[in-house]
Amino acid sequence: MRALQQRSFFFNRFAKQIILTMLLLSGPNMGGNEWKYVKDCLDTGWVSSVGAYVDQFEKMSAEFAGTKYAVATSSGTTALHICLVMMGVNEKDYVITPNITFIATCNSIKYTGADPILIDADPGTWQMDLGLLENFLMEETELRDNNCYYKKDGRRIPVVMPVHVLGNMCDMDRLMALAKQYHLTVIEDSTEALGSYYKGKHAGSFGLMGTFSYNGNKIITTGGGGMIVTDDEALAKKAKHLTTQAKSDPFEYIHDEIGYNYRLVNVAAAMGVAQMEQLPAFLKRKQEIIAFYKKELEGVADIGFQEVNADVQPNWWLPTIMTGKQKTVLTILNDHKMQSRPFWMPMNQLRMFKDNIFYNKDNRSDYVYHRCLSIPCSTNITDEELKAVAYKIKEAF
Ligand SMILES: Cc1ncc(COP(=O)(O)O)c(C=O)c1O
């Protein structure tokens, strides 16, 4: 008891010291060549939408993901939107996607005018439940002329957009087989899954196209930015064209369709190149962080972690625990300036999507939503800070 009190005293004092400033949930780690490459852009004036760093960042991203091509975009959201535009998705269509995801997935679908069909979550892995997806496709859709249609209103379902939630992945063999059987194009929202693999193949390289996000909380960041990866040369060229206002003449301002200003600028790409150089080290640190948290917290009261299928090697981008004491733990951590966050409110509970098709069993997304919280895991977090976080979490029980 006395030992515990002493420990408690030490950690409370320690927590106060480190927490003069907020311990970020998943903050940027600018420990490499960022200054040097950004300075290079400023010194040379190559700050805007063309430049060698954009090309280099795209090349490094394609190489890392194991795809032939990569096209940089202004964000993960715009990357998703352009993929859907290229598939001709429109207001007469549906796109299948998980009910547990960040809002950007569904927003990108709505930008095209299409509606998301929301599939409930697997309560263990928190990914789209493939059993439910299969049931939905079997019971609620029909195939005509190599297209999939929703039986009730005859609207087309051209795309399934799986999300690799928190860098974890579902059984991709099963998902790809279902997509093939039902003539669905797969566009992967792999925005959170840079460095995640299924059977040794990188996330984003399964579908016709995959996407990454480089916003401030991702495993690498360009401040804000995104990437489309694909093996299809025509799609890569089209993505570049559409994201640069569909300008069809190198000199004159002639545009051959409605385009978008969705480019990533060179100064951001310069950060991206520096961040990519450190990605292996960042991934290693994420593995250490999750190993530490599991060692300290698994089996403490009802605390559980995201289940991972044997074929999946996640990047452990955002360690997240599950507990009935979600609210208490959130309060304790945030009160001690250890930034922690609840899971996203499931899409079917948001005003904009509450009337959309939600195919579920026992509304498991709601169960996950009310129990999960993400805990501090920046790649530059120190071992002492990790200990302080684990200690504070245990205090809740
Ligand atoms: C699942 C998911 N989809 C899409 C996005 C959108 O990425 P961005 O914030 O770069 O637009 C994010 C990241 O924020 C995300 O987590």
Side-chain angles (χ1 to χ4, degrees):
M1 187 64 192
R2 197 173 151 67
L4 194 70
Q5 276 167 355
Q6 273 174 350
R7 238 181 127 206
S8 167
F9 171 75
F10 167 76
F11 274 115
N12 277 328
R13 228 177 45 159
F14 172 72
K16 274 201 192 99
Q17 274 170 15
I18 55 165
I19 323 270
L20 289 175
T21 54
M22 179 69 97
L23 186 58
L24 290 179
L25 177 61
S26 177
N29 184 350
M30 297 285 154
N33 285 317
E34 289 82 2
W35 271 109
K36 188 174 158 203
Y37 299 161
V38 169
K39 184 174 182 306
D40 183 35
C41 295
L42 301 181
D43 288 343
T44 58
W46 286 96
V47 292
S48 196
S49 46
V50 281
Y53 287 110
V54 175
D55 300 340
Q56 196 180 339
F57 189 32
E58 288 175 340
K59 192 163 172 284
M60 288 170 101
S61 301
E63 266 168 25
F64 195 86
T67 58
K68 287 190 186 147
Y69 308 97
V71 178
T73 57
S74 53
S75 70
T77 312
T78 56
L80 289 169
H81 182 210
I82 285 296
C83 292
L84 291 166
V85 168
M86 288 195 291
M87 286 297 100
V89 174
N90 63 58
E91 65 285 350
K92 295 193 190 101
D93 296 331
Y94 287 116
V95 172
I96 298 175
T97 204
N99 191 42
I100 287 195
T101 184
F102 178 59
I103 186 71
T105 317
C106 286
N107 278 346
S108 72
I109 295 168
K110 284 302 290 183
Y111 296 163
T112 67
D115 278 308
I117 289 176
L118 305 165
I119 306 288
D120 208 3
D122 176 295
T125 63
W126 314 336
Q127 311 298 299
M128 175 159 60
D129 186 316
L130 296 187
L132 282 177
L133 174 65
E134 185 163 10
N135 285 350
F136 173 81
L137 291 169
M138 256 172 4
E139 289 164 9
E140 310 268 342
T141 70
E142 62 193 3
L143 292 174
R144 270 183 277 125
D145 310 325
N146 290 339
N147 283 308
C148 182
Y149 295 92
Y150 185 52
K151 273 190 209 162
K152 280 188 192 131
D153 59 16
R155 279 169 75 178
R156 192 176 67 125
I157 311 174
V159 170
V160 58
M161 189 181 270
V163 179
H164 305 310
V165 176
L166 303 180
N168 196 0
M169 294 172 81
C170 64
D171 177 346
M172 290 305 289
D173 286 345
R174 187 172 176 199
L175 176 77
M176 295 309 290
L178 281 173
K180 193 168 175 213
Q181 187 183 345
Y182 287 88
H183 299 276
L184 304 171
T185 298
V186 178
I187 298 173
E188 289 174 73
D189 182 340
S190 38
T191 45
E192 301 178 349
L194 185 65
S196 299
Y197 297 84
Y198 173 85
K199 292 189 176 172
K201 189 169 158 60
H202 197 282
S205 68
F206 290 83
L208 185 59
M209 290 171 273
T211 53
F212 298 117
S213 163
Y214 307 121
N215 78 17
N217 69 10
K218 292 296 183 293
I219 204 152
I220 67 162
T221 184
T222 57
M227 193 72 71
I228 298 169
V229 288
T230 182
D231 283 331
D232 188 309
E233 186 180 5
L235 283 174
K237 281 192 176 142
K238 179 98 177 171
K240 196 53 144 184
H241 184 61
L242 281 175
T243 52
T244 49
Q245 301 283 26
K247 190 165 180 284
S248 55
D249 188 280
F251 182 64
E252 280 196 64
Y253 289 96
I254 300 172
H255 307 258
D256 57 8
E257 58 185 306
I258 302 293
Y260 302 82
N261 180 8
Y262 281 179
R263 294 167 295 202
L264 184 74
V265 293
N266 200 46
V267 72
M271 282 167 64
V273 170
Q275 290 272 287
M276 283 300 284
E277 290 170 352
Q278 299 161 84
L279 181 55
F282 290 170
L283 287 166
K284 183 166 169 282
R285 185 62 182 148
K286 289 284 187 188
Q287 300 291 335
E288 289 166 1
I289 293 169
I290 189 68
F292 174 82
Y293 279 140
K294 282 195 170 181
K295 181 168 75 63
E296 287 294 315
L297 300 173
E298 210 159 31
V300 172
D302 67 341
I303 296 179
F305 286 81
Q306 192 177 24
E307 285 169 20
V308 178
N309 291 335
D311 292 321
V312 178
Q313 190 193 327
N315 61 3
W316 291 113
W317 161 58
L318 199 68
T320 297
I321 58 172
M322 200 177 207
T323 167
K325 287 206 163 184
Q326 182 210 45
K327 289 260 164 357
T328 317
V329 178
L330 277 170
T331 307
I332 290 181
L333 290 182
N334 287 302
D335 280 356
H336 288 84
K337 297 201 173 143
M338 298 169 173
Q339 192 180 38
S340 55
R341 287 278 179 267
F343 226 177
W344 314 293
M345 179 176 276
M347 295 299 107
N348 74 307
Q349 296 185 34
L350 296 176
R351 187 176 56 78
M352 305 81 77
F353 301 112
K354 70 177 174 32
D355 297 326
N356 279 66
I357 301 163
F358 172 40
Y359 197 77
N360 76 94
K361 187 166 179 229
D362 311 327
N363 196 359
R364 285 170 176 162
S365 325
D366 191 60
Y367 177 86
V368 173
Y369 167 56
H370 282 109
R371 279 167 184 75
C372 285
L373 70 140
S374 305
I375 54 181
C377 59
S378 306
T379 50
N380 49 14
I381 195 169
T382 65
D383 290 350
E384 285 66 33
E385 287 166 336
L386 282 175
K387 279 183 202 156
V389 174
Y391 188 81
K392 278 284 154 218
I393 292 174
K394 285 183 198 168
E395 261 190 15
F397 297 92

